[in-house]
Amino acid sequence: MRLATVGVSVTVLALSAWPAFSQHLGHAKIESNSMAPYVASPQSIVERMLDVAGVKSGETVYDLGCGDGRILITAVQRYHAKAVGVELNEKHAETAVDNIKRLNLQNRAQVIKGNLMDVDIANADVVTLYLMTLSNDKLRPKLERELKPGTRVVSLNYQVRGWKAKAVEEAEAFHRPYKIYLYEVPSRQ
């Protein structure tokens, strides 16, 4: 795998030791300003993440790094929520938009093509993440600044350091273990 910058190459090498990505790196592409490589979550894990978050009808789910839109689609179809995805990769963003249109869900789900650090997430009731721990570290101040107290944050496989998880669930899909971390944004002091 040949990448344009040394920083990204080091990130790829570091990720190869991490179990969640090690089996997928041959297929993963990391953009230079991306927070994680694209690795699709199995549908059963998507559903478990949204279950753990306790998504309710009418709530708004933000998926930061939405990939093909499967969390958005599941949030709308199964939980009757509204959904907003943020995706940096143009191809993945287009795929998510196409999937939403194909299912005629565009009145309940949308995709913002851009950097998740630049998108206002204040309207979220639930935020889903499948980023790396270091990316979660970078994202945490934004979450604390923009999200209202009580907003649930669900992170697949990687903790949000400095936050105490309300729940940690283990799940399996395709003979691979997953960990689902549930956090709740604390009250501002």
Side-chain angles (χ1 to χ4, degrees), residues 108-122:
R108 306 275 303 163
Q110 67 171 333
V111 176
I112 299 168
K113 199 251 179 238
N115 187 318
L116 61 89
M117 296 300 286
D118 299 330
V119 174
D120 181 3
I121 59 172

Side-chain angles (χ1 to χ4, degrees), residues 6-133:
V6 173
V8 174
S9 297
V10 171
T11 301
V12 170
L13 289 174
L15 287 176
S16 65
W18 293 8
F21 293 111
S22 61
Q23 297 174 5
H24 301 285
L25 279 175
H27 306 291
K29 178 182 175 190
I30 302 175
E31 293 187 25
S32 61
N33 54 351
S34 178
M35 304 271 280
Y38 175 69
V39 179
S41 303
Q43 184 62 32
S44 63
I45 299 300
V46 166
E47 292 170 9
R48 191 71 205 122
M49 288 174 70
L50 296 172
D51 284 344
V52 167
V55 176
K56 297 173 192 69
S57 179
E59 288 189 315
T60 301
V61 174
Y62 274 69
D63 184 18
L64 304 183
C66 71
D68 63 7
R70 67 184 62 198
I71 288 178
L72 309 176
I73 290 166
T74 304
V76 170
Q77 289 183 325
R78 183 171 174 171
Y79 301 89
H80 308 288
K82 294 176 236 163
V84 179
V86 181
E87 179 55 56
L88 181 63
N89 180 287
E90 190 167 330
K91 180 180 174 189
H92 297 313
E94 288 174 11
T95 298
V97 168
D98 290 345
N99 289 338
I100 288 166
K101 284 181 181 175
R102 181 176 45 80
L103 296 167
N104 198 27
L105 301 175
Q106 56 272 38
N107 63 333
R108 306 275 303 163
Q110 67 171 333
V111 176
I112 299 168
K113 199 251 179 238
N115 187 318
L116 61 89
M117 296 300 286
D118 299 330
V119 174
D120 181 3
I121 59 172
N123 292 328
D125 297 298
V126 173
V127 174
T128 61
L129 309 171
Y130 191 8
L131 305 173
M132 301 173 291
T133 300

Side-chain angles (χ1 to χ4, degrees), residues 140-151:
R140 183 180 144 202
K142 175 183 178 63
L143 298 172
E144 291 172 344
R145 184 176 57 252
E146 293 184 18
L147 297 176
K148 60 190 170 285
T151 302

